[in-house]
């Protein structure tokens, strides 16, 4: 019988074969990764050598990465982020060139955790670390058809002095993310959490009261929500989920003016509305983005973060789950938001939700949308 290929070896083989076309990585560490895997297996560490990727050149030093390594996770490489001086953050630059969406090579994967989402979607890593300051985990998760989590602001260490960015992670599913999250998130006890009582009371908002949403994106998400209701997973409550547009307040905080009167007004109003909403229903559902993945030339006048950055200002944990595809083959995300500090509960809700939705069809996509072969490392 032929020896079984290890998880790290399989990940490295896929990186060698696929990354010259996808451009998800800026660095790959094969020798170190294989050595770490042997050590993790020998020491019988909890993660047992499961491969993960880290976001950007400094990702290996992040709190999450250090926790995962200590538990026997194996970092296989650093993934792409936007280049310096980028005016918008929904793309990445890998070692081989511009990062492409694995479902549509003519579209961006989102960002700034661009390469992290692509690596997970294409099976080049089991999970990836990320950071989310406006939607930087949730947007690429939505556009690459994977699970992405933004943790409660301040729950985990973050280098962002504005307080907008919080640590996050990406995985093929919420179920797959839990094994990694157990090593990083406080509050995960050794015994498994009891099943959540269903249906989950939830509020659905297509636009949070202000965003302009692509009708087909809205239709895909609404169909997913209707399926959750039909499956008995959620029970929709008739509640007003309208917020004030957070764009100006987010820009003021990012620009170092958190006490600007208008920013303070918007944040207070939205905090009050979210507190009342989540007191009535533990779960808020929205599209993750108002638009589908745009081309590599840029998003134009549309803010891809229109539905995500409110929760960077408020600090609530939020996740994106695959909801389906538009007619042109672009993944669409369903965003889940819950109370501050309820990150472990949010993962449980995400697992319940994804179990009632159709399984995302496996990558690679149909031939007409597949990234073109480039270089000798791309082996069919």
């Amino acid at each position: 019988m032929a020896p079984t290929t290890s998880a790290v070896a399989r990940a490295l083989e896929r990186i060698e074969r696929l990354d010259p076309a996808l451009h998800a990585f800026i660095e790959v560490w094969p020798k170190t990764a294989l050595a770490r895997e042997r050590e993790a297996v020998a020491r019988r560490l909890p993660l047992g050598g499961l491969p993960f990727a880290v976001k950007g050149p400094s990702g290996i030093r992040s709190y999450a990465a250090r926790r995962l390594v200590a538990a026997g996770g194996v970092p296989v490489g650093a993934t792409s982020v936007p280049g310096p001086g980028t005016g918008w953050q929904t793309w990445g630059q890998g070692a081989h060139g511009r990062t492409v969406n694995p479902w549509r090579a003519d579209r961006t994967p989102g960002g700034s955790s661009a390469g992290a989402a692509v690596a997970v979607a294409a099976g080049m890593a089991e999970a990836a670390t990320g950071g989310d300051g406006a939607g930087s985990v949730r947007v690429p998760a939505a556009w690459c058809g994977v699970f992405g989590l933004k943790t409660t602001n301040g729950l985990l260490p973050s280098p962002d002095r504005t307080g907008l960015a919080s640590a996050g992670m990406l995985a093929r599913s919420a179920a797959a993310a839990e094994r990694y999250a157990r090593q990083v998130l406080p509050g995960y006890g050794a015994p498994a959490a009891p099943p959540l009582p269903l249906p989950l009371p939830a509020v659905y908002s297509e636009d949070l009261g202000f965003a302009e949403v692509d009708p087909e994106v809205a239709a895909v998400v609404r169909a997913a929500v209707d399926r959750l209701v039909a499956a008995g997973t959620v029970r929709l409550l008739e509640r007003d989920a309208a917020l004030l547009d957070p764009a100006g307040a987010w820009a003021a905080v990012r620009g170092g003016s958190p006490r600007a009167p208008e920013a303070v007004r918007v944040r207070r109003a939205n905090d009050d509305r979210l507190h009342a909403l989540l007191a009535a229903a533990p779960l808020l559902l929205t599209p993750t983005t108002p638009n589908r993945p745009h081309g590599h030339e840029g998003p134009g006048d549309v803010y891809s973060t229109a539905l995500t950055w409110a929760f960077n200002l408020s600090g609530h944990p939020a996740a994106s789950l695959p909801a389906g595809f538009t007619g042109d083959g672009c993944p669409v995300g369903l965003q889940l938001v819950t109370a501050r500090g309820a990150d472990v509960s949010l993962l449980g809700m995400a697992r319940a939700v994804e179990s009632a939705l159709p399984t995302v069809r496996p990558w690679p996509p149909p031939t007409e949308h597949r990234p073109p072969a480039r270089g000798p490392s791309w082996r069919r």
Side-chain angles (χ1 to χ4, degrees), residues 36-37 40 45-52 65 67-75 180:
R36 285 185 188 273
E37 182 184 37
L45 295 175
L47 292 180
L50 280 181
F52 71 95
R67 291 282 296 176
L68 292 172
V69 169
V74 176
Y180 291 86

Side-chain angles (χ1 to χ4, degrees), residues 295-322:
H296 294 283
E297 73 282 355
D301 296 329
V302 177
Y303 281 107
S304 304
T305 55
L307 296 168
T308 53
W309 52 7
F311 309 111
N312 296 91
L313 280 169
S314 69
H316 291 80
S320 180
L321 280 171

Side-chain angles (χ1 to χ4, degrees), residues 7-8 32-52 64-76 126 179-180 183-184:
V8 169
T32 304
L34 291 169
R36 285 185 188 273
E37 182 184 37
R38 289 191 294 270
E39 180 183 4
V41 171
R43 294 176 59 193
R44 298 183 179 180
L45 295 175
L47 292 180
L50 280 181
F52 71 95
R66 288 185 280 112
R67 291 282 296 176
L68 292 172
V69 169
V74 176
V76 293
E126 299 283 345
R179 191 174 182 190
Y180 291 86
Q183 306 303 326
V184 177

Side-chain angles (χ1 to χ4, degrees), residues 10-67:
R10 290 194 299 270
L12 293 171
E13 186 277 330
R14 288 184 72 84
I15 293 171
E16 180 188 5
R17 178 162 49 90
L18 302 177
D19 201 50
L22 295 172
H23 310 163
F25 284 87
I26 56 175
E27 296 179 11
V28 183
W29 310 312
K31 291 182 179 179
T32 304
L34 291 169
R36 285 185 188 273
E37 182 184 37
R38 289 191 294 270
E39 180 183 4
V41 171
R43 294 176 59 193
R44 298 183 179 180
L45 295 175
L47 292 180
L50 280 181
F52 71 95
V54 300
K55 176 184 176 180
S58 61
I60 193 64
R61 299 192 297 274
S62 69
Y63 171 83
R66 288 185 280 112
R67 291 282 296 176

Side-chain angles (χ1 to χ4, degrees), residues 63-64 67 151-159 165-169 184-186 343:
Y63 171 83
R67 291 282 296 176
T151 57
T152 298
N153 292 46
L155 180 70
L156 301 176
S158 169
S166 58
M169 72 167 44
V184 177
L185 292 182
D343 300 64

Side-chain angles (χ1 to χ4, degrees), residues 71-174:
V74 176
V76 293
T79 55
S80 68
V81 293
T86 305
W88 46 277
Q89 302 290 294
T90 53
W91 68 292
Q93 185 74 20
H96 299 283
R98 180 183 63 203
T99 309
V100 304
N101 191 300
W103 295 95
R104 287 286 304 262
D106 61 336
R107 309 291 176 92
T108 176
S112 60
S113 303
V118 174
V120 170
M124 295 186 285
E126 299 283 345
T129 65
D132 191 313
S136 297
V137 164
R138 289 162 288 161
V139 172
W143 286 355
C144 293
V146 299
F147 172 78
L149 171 70
K150 178 199 91 69
T151 57
T152 298
N153 292 46
L155 180 70
L156 301 176
S158 169
D160 180 24
R161 295 181 180 179
T162 69
L164 292 172
S166 58
M169 72 167 44
L170 302 101
R172 292 296 289 271
S173 65

